[in-house]
């Protein structure tokens, strides 16, 4: 039934959650105040399936903001013993948009090509992802269509289109099929499939195009614009607040710090998100900073997304989600920069 | 291991930082076991001058404070400034903009004599060398304990070099500035876990600035959020108005209308 | 594929000797598992509760260090090293690694080697010298050129004496930026040691370890001498938090120096921004 | 010839802020008997001026670390009164919960850390922890509970964060309230032990009548505002607070003193007033929660006591009261955990008075807010300042009976007397 499309009446969503809860910790988009984030859900939780891009990207669940690497305890002989935390329980993440699905792919490609560490890929392997199609751009700042993530469905196990009273679901993996079979869904009706085709076509037209070149051309375009004044002009507005790094689904950098009790006898080593726009990131002993200016730092961030990541991991490091633009206090726009270097 | 002898002193302040020290409830007895407190007026009678570490709260605001802090400096091997008043001048420094006689006249109806003589409210480091600063109004209890832990172990406390926005975003707080609230976390030094935005109030940079603040851009951010740039300056005045602290930002932003 | 652990291994310190007021030289037992480092690699050393940082291997087991031991030179500069430098003989260091690129030495066979170190750069470079001496017959002329700010700051004086005494094997030359009374040696910046060195430039490799300023000068001179870009090797120091290509702190134009470095050829880094 | 004695205590310990006791007796005649307030002023009234009203609570709470929730509350009340904002019942309850947290925090700190050492002959809580570990550990647990209450409501106890005119920036999650309910229940034995310990301590007896003042709201133990009531039978609306609490400047104090209207010859109080736990109990013992009323009995505290040392027992009773208040507030908030929408301002500016009962007594914030929403004028009246004249009068009454004792004992007795009021000096000077 791979690739086949089924229909799930909206009220059966709870049954899906119930089925997933047997094997997974289930997280879904839930509205709190005027923002939406993924939280633990139950079958009766009201899901905000019409949500706009969350502030924090899904990587928060696979490589969390603050994660214990190990705990330590000083023994009677004064030497330390170490213990790794138990491995994370498998997660089911519902309602992941195309940009964030792409983000998870980038996360995987980074971890698989950069090092031998399997922690994050293993978590991704064991996760169940329900993708969700967007009908309109989430943010004014999104440019997912340009970056090719609007239509991306991988690595979802099931991919959903919200038609209002009914969700259409496409099976993408074996696991997706197993889960869906438990709900014994009917195939989508011809009318529904027609509606899906029509809306998909309309969607393609309603999503504006911002860039006039394919993402594969970015690396060369950036290279050519290395010494453009645009870097400095943008960097002048940069607050070095680091938000662009933290909200980005493809940022991966972290800091490591220790916590301990007053006498130092027990504690933990943690990793926490950081990024190339965060003061102190490129400083070494003696105070020397290898990337001291905001101009260098900003260029570095954009180069990593548009040039270094595709060159090294085979995937452009920007999904077009628009978070970094939306959350930048002075609206520094990677989209505008891409557009300018591509001109 | 011999316990280091520690003294606590307070100058012009609300003594809230000392209260924070007493409020490390779960670790208080352990703390008092690990250090020997020889002077802590708010909590004990004994007063000895043979301390190695002096933790000082408050701003210098009277001539006799100058004498006293100098004496503390000669006695202490390590001098730690606790809190915004001691590290930055804090809220006390706001009044420095006006002549003291004027200020006192307003509050005491013209009377200002022997009982208090006041100076411009100043951070400790304006008078003596400060070895370490634990920032915040008030200091964060966990950060204080962590600093003590580092000093006990024989090394320097850790302070983040980056903005409050980092910790704010990490904890997932929806940004207040985006919603038009005058938050200056983007120039403020982190370490407080961005507690104010998390509890619904804008950051007012009670911990001073991070390593690379951009005040001009802060004005720009305010303007984009629909607030006058002057408002950024008005916020910076709250904790960062002491002469030398203010020098960092005053030229980057239009000054708030004098009131 | 293996899961890489961030848990360090306790290693006993066999000897700890002060090299200066802020530098301590450690001889450390290798961890109880396979440990086969190459010159130019580093280990992550930690103190649980305080932190972890990278340190170059300054001598490898059996090559400058006693069999079953490796050596470190730790300079006291901050939060972690304040305490690391207090660890004494018999104490324990917590070690992960070795990490970093394993450079293939085959191309160097039959060539001349110029080893150039400034200041703390002698720490990693020392492992190269001991490697070259351990396999002395494989190379032609070996020059060891060492600069320091002052005579007091010259590190590994014992080794420098040992190497200097082996006049048949190696040519050692020292310089200091500023002398004090009693110094009869050379005064000048490290790169000035290259003056008058005459080698067959096509068949010479140079290894450079030192502060960024030293690189600029030395690279210019070595290139002027006619050495090939891919014959110049330098160690690039960056902040490193994991050592395994994850944390991103050490990135140089997308290259993770903890894996692709810290030893790189000038050809590899020449076109990279912010390299030296 | 009568006795002579001179007592001079520089920087009284185990009180908040800097104060000196100076007593001079020459030939049986008391020539000096002052509590010098040598703290330097920080001029908060001036700091507030020109700041947006929205910020007032966050600035005002910096007057005092120990009662910062109280200052924030009085301040927000003053702003709301000025702007015509009527906070809803749940908002008021949430703020009351925070106040209860602060009462507990402040009273337990005073009782366990500052007073108990006197009772057990220890110089501080450190030796006390060795000699009476249960007492100290229990006090620490209660303090932690109090801190946790304030953290759940306003992020932290010292400098509460979430106070805004008409709304709170944070509404505790049901899970936070559940956790509080649990730890409140858990704390009952510690409170019981506190009552027990303090019911066994005898303090000096010193009966000096003074007018006891507190603000009373309808149907509740005095805490969140209302009219000023006094044991002289007066009831004054908040707007006329200045007639009951008359500020005046004295030479030896950077804090203004306050006299009550009693000096008019009514004979009741002779012009000095007392505020704080004992005053509240004098005026509202009938409004105590049943558990607090039991504590009152166990401590054998007479509600009409004129002995300032009884303020200590009164604080014990109020610790129980604060705990009971917190329990019922948490229950009520849990029963209906949806946050309350903001209450809107009905005018741009105006004059507003906020009066609340903080641990040490009646606190007044009085603002004038200009039409641009900035504070044009501010006045703060601090409980400790209201007690200063009483403290000195008590000292004058106390000293003659002490003169036959060694100087150390006189000094210690006077220190204990001052501490009984739990003065908060940095607050009083602000
Ligand atoms: C590959 C490599 C090899 C090194 N070899 C040696 C050696 O052989 N001997 C030696 O003494 N030192 C060596 N260093 C430097 C050593 O790692 C730093 O001195 C050490 O991290 C300082 O830590 P600290 O906590 O004492 O200082 P801190 O108090 O943390 O800070 C001092 C400075 O060090 C920077 N810093 C913090 N963490 C790191 C880090 N992980 N890497 C680099 N800088 C950092 C800080 O930004 C700050 O500017 C090497 C560094 C690298 C990258
Ligand atoms: S760089 Fe910006 S737009 Fe691109 S993926 Fe990251 S946050 Fe989204
Ligand atoms: S609320 Fe303030 S501190 Fe938080 S991200 Fe926004 S600007 Fe930064
Ligand atoms: S958020 Fe800002 S004002 Fe609040 S504690 Fe942190 S630094 Fe201070």
């Amino acid at each position: 039934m791979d690739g086949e499309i089924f229909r799930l009446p909206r009220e059966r969503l709870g049954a899906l959650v119930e089925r997933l809860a047997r094997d997974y910790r289930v997280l879904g988009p839930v509205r709190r105040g005027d923002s939406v984030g993924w939280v633990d859900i139950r079958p009766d939780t009201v899901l905000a399936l019409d949500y706009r891009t969350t502030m924090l990207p899904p990587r928060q669940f696979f490589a969390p903001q603050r994660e214990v690497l190990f705990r330590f305890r000083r023994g009677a002989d004064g030497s330390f013993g170490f213990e790794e935390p138990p491995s994370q329980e498998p997660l089911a993440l519902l309602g992941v948009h195309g940009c964030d699905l792409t983000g998870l792919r980038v996360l995987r490609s980074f971890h698989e090509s950069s090092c031998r560490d399997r922690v994050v890929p293993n978590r991704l392997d064991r996760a169940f992802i329900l993708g969700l199609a967007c009908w309109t751009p989430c943010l004014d700042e999104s440019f997912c269509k340009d970056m090719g993530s609007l239509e991306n469905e991988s690595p979802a196990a099931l991919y959903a289109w919200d038609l209002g009273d009914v969700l259409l679901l496409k099976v993408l993996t074996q696991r997706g099929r197993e889960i869906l079979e438990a709900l014994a869904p009917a195939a989508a009706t011809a009318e529904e499939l027609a509606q899906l085709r029509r809306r998909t076509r309309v969607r393609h037209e309603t999503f504006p195009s911002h860039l006039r070149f394919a993402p594969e051309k970015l690396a060369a375009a950036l290279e050519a614009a290395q010494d453009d004044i645009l870097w400095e002009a943008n960097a002048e507005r940069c607050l070095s607040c680091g938000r662009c790094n933290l909200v980005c689904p493809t940022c991966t950098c972290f800091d490591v710090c220790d916590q301990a009790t007053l006498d130092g006898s027990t504690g933990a080593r943690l990793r926490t998100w950081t990024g190339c726009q965060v003061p102190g990131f490129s400083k070494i002993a003696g105070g020397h900073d290898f990337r001291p200016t905001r101009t260098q730092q900003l260029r570095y961030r954009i180069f990593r997304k548009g040039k270094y990541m595709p060159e090294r991991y085979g995937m452009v490091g920007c999904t077009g989600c628009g978070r970094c633009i939306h959350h930048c206090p002075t609206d520094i726009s990677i989209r505008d920069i891409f557009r300018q270097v591509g001109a | 291991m011999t316990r280091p002898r520690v003294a606590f002193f307070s100058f012009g302040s609300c003594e809230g930082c000392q209260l924070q020290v007493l409020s490390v409830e779960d670790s208080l007895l352990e703390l008092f076991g690990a250090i020997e407190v020889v002077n802590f007026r708010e909590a004990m009678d004994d007063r000895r001058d043979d301390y190695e570490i002096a933790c000082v709260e408050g701003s210098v605001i009277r001539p006799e404070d100058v004498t006293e802090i100098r004496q503390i400096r000669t006695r202490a091997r390590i001098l730690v400034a606790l809190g915004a008043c001691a590290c930055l001048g804090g809220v006390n420094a706001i009044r420095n903009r006006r002549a003291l006689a004027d200020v006192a006249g307003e509050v005491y109806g013209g009377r200002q004599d022997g009982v208090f003589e006041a100076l411009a409210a100043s951070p400790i480091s304006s008078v003596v060398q400060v070895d370490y600063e634990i920032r915040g109004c008030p200091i964060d209890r966990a950060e204080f304990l962590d600093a003590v832990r580092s000093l006990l172990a024989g090394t320097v406390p850790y302070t983040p070099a980056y903005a409050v926005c980092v910790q704010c975003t990490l904890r997932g707080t929806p940004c207040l500035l985006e919603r038009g609230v005058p938050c200056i976390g983007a120039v403020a030094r982190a370490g407080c876990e961005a507690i104010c935005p998390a509890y619904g109030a804008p950051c007012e940079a009670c911990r001073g600035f991070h390593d690379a603040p951009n005040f001009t851009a802060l004005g720009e951010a305010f303007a984009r959020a629909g607030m006058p740039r002057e408002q950024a300056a008005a916020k910076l005045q709250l904790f960062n108005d002491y002469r030398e602290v203010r020098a960092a930002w005053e030229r980057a932003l239009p000054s708030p209308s004098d009131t | 594929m293996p899961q890489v652990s961030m848990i360090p291994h306790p290693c006993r310190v066999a000897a700890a000797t002060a090299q200066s007021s802020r530098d301590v030289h450690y001889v450390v037992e290798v961890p109880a598992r396979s440990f086969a480092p190459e010159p130019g690699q580093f280990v992550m050393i930690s103190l649980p509760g305080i932190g972890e940082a990278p340190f170059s291997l300054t001598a490898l087991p059996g090559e400058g260090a006693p069999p079953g031991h490796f050596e470190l030179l730790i300079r006291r500069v901050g939060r972690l090293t304040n305490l690391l430098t207090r660890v004494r003989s018999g104490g324990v260091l917590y070690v992960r690694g070795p990490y970093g690129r394993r450079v293939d030495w085959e191309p160097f066979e039959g060539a001349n080697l110029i080893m150039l170190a400034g200041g703390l750069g002698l720490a990693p470079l020392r492992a190269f010298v001991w490697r070259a001496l351990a396999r002395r017959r494989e190379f032609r002329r070996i020059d060891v050129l060492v600069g320091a700010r002052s005579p007091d700051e010259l590190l590994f004086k014992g080794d420098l004496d040992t190497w200097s005494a082996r006049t048949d094997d190696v040519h050692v030359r020292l310089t200091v930026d500023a002398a004090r009374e009693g110094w009869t040696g050379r005064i000048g910046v490290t790169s000035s040691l290259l003056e008058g060195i005459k080698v067959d430039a096509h068949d010479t490799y140079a290894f450079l370890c030192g502060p960024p300023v030293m690189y600029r000068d030395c690279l210019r001179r070595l290139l002027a001498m006619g050495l090939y870009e891919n014959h110049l090797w330098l160690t690039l120091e960056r902040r490193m938090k994991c050592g395994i290509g994850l944390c991103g702190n050490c990135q140089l134009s997308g290259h993770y120096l903890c894996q692709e470095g810290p030893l790189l050829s000038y050809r590899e880094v020449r076109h990279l921004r912010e390299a030296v | 010839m009568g006795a002579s004695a001179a007592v001079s205590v520089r920087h009284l310990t185990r009180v908040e802020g800097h104060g000196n006791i100076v007593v001079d007796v020459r030939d049986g005649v008391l020539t000096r008997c002052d509590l010098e307030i040598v703290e330097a002023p920080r001029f908060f009234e001036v700091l507030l001026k020109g700041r947006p009203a929205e910020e007032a609570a966050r600035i005002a709470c910096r007057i005092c670390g120990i009662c910062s929730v109280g200052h924030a509350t009085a301040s927000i009340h003053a702003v709301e009164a000025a702007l015509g904002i009527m906070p809803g019942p749940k908002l008021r309850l949430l703020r009351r919960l925070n106040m209860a947290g602060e009462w507990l925090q402040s009273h337990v700190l005073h009782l366990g850390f500052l007073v108990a050492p006197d009772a057990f002959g220890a110089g501080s809580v450190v030796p006390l922890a060795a000699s009476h570990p249960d007492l100290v550990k229990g006090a620490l647990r209660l303090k932690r509970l109090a801190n946790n209450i304030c953290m759940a409501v306003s992020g932290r106890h010292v400098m509460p964060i979430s106070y805004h005119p008409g709304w709170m920036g944070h509404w505790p999650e049901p899970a936070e309230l559940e956790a509080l309910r649990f730890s409140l229940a858990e704390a009952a034995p510690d409170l019981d032990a506190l009552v027990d310990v303090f019911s066994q301590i005898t303090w000096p007896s010193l009966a000096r009548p003074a007018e006891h003042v507190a603000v009373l709201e309808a149907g509740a133990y005095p805490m969140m505002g209302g009219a000023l009531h006094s044991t002289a039978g007066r009831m004054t609306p908040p707007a006329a607070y200045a007639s009951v609490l008359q500020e005046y400047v004295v030479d030896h104090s950077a804090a203004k003193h306050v006299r009550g209207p009693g000096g008019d010859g009514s004979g009741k109080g002779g012009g000095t007033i007392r505020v704080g736990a004992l005053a509240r109990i004098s005026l509202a013992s009938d409004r105590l929660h049943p558990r607090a009323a039991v504590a009152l009995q166990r401590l054998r505290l007479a509600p009409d006591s004129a002995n300032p040392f009884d303020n200590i027992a009164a604080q014990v009773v109020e610790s129980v009261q604060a705990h009971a208040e917190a329990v019922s507030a948490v229950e009520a908030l849990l029963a209906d955990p949806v946050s309350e929408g903001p209450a809107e301002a009905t005018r741009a500016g105006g004059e507003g008075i906020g009066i609340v009962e903080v641990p040490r007594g009646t606190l007044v914030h009085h603002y004038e807010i200009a039409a641009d929403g900035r504070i044009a004028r501010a006045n703060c009246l601090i409980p400790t300042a209201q007690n200063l004249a009483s403290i000195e009068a008590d000292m004058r009454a106390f000293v003659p009976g002490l003169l036959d004792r060694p100087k150390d004992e006189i000094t210690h007795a006077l220190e204990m007397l001052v501490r009984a009021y739990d003065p908060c000096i940095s607050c009083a000077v602000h």
Side-chain angles (χ1 to χ4, degrees), chain A residues 69-70 72 78-80 82-84 110-119 122 226-227 252-256 258-260 264 268-269 271 274 280-286 288 290-291 296-297 299-300 303-304 308 312-313, chain C residues 1-10 12 45-52 77 79 92 94 96 99 212 216 236-242 244-256 259-260 271 273-276:
Chain A
L69 293 169
F70 58 80
F72 55 84
S79 70
F80 284 94
F82 302 93
E83 193 192 340
E84 267 173 358
F110 163 75
H111 279 270
E112 289 187 336
S113 27
S114 183
C115 81
R116 294 168 298 142
D117 191 57
R118 287 291 307 170
V119 174
N122 285 346
Q226 279 210 60
D227 299 308
T252 50
C253 296
F254 60 83
D255 197 2
V256 174
D258 287 14
Q259 288 179 347
R269 179 160 295 164
R271 61 176 177 190
T274 183
F281 185 75
S282 44
K283 250 194 191 147
I284 62 156
H288 187 78
F290 280 89
R291 225 177 286 129
Q296 289 173 314
Q297 291 164 8
R299 180 173 50 209
Y300 186 83
F303 267 57
R304 175 164 156 88
Y308 307 147
R312 300 176 57 77
Y313 315 121
Chain C
M1 267 203 259
Q3 188 147 317
V4 181
S5 172
M6 298 286 276
I7 292 185
H9 298 263
R12 184 131 330 257
I45 305 288
S46 57
L47 279 180
I50 301 294
E52 186 175 51
V77 295
R79 185 168 151 80
V92 172
Y94 292 86
R96 281 194 301 132
Y99 296 125
R216 260 161 256 148
L236 297 184
E237 192 190 324
R238 289 294 184 278
R239 196 179 154 95
M240 291 177 186
K241 288 292 182 181
C242 73
I244 57 173
L246 269 182
C247 77
N249 288 254
C250 68
Q251 280 176 93
L252 171 65
S253 301
H255 298 268
Y256 281 65
Q259 303 217 287
E260 296 162 59
H271 63 286
R273 289 190 166 258
E274 299 140 17
V276 287

Side-chain angles (χ1 to χ4, degrees), chain A residues 243 329, chain B residues 164-166 168-169 173-178 183-186 194 197 203:
Chain A
R243 282 172 66 75
Chain B
V164 167
C165 292
V166 171
C168 191
T169 310
T173 308
C175 178
L176 298 180
L177 190 61
E178 270 172 26
C183 183
I184 56 172
C203 169

Side-chain angles (χ1 to χ4, degrees), chain C residues 176-251:
Chain C
V176 297
D177 294 353
R180 60 158 158 72
E181 228 167 298
W183 174 256
T184 53
R186 195 184 166 92
I187 298 176
V189 294
T190 313
S191 61
S192 69
L193 289 169
L194 286 166
E195 278 163 26
I197 294 234
K198 291 212 171 35
V199 286
D200 168 11
H202 298 292
D203 215 359
T204 302
Y205 286 84
F207 297 90
L208 282 71
C209 303
V213 279
M214 181 192 109
Y215 286 167
R216 260 161 256 148
D217 260 14
C218 292
L219 287 168
R220 203 171 27 78
R221 279 179 193 259
L222 288 163
L223 290 167
M225 284 163 64
L227 268 72
Y228 295 127
E229 285 178 351
N230 61 341
H231 284 195
L232 304 179
W233 289 84
L234 22 149
T235 54
L236 297 184
E237 192 190 324
R238 289 294 184 278
R239 196 179 154 95
M240 291 177 186
K241 288 292 182 181
C242 73
I244 57 173
L246 269 182
C247 77
N249 288 254
C250 68
Q251 280 176 93

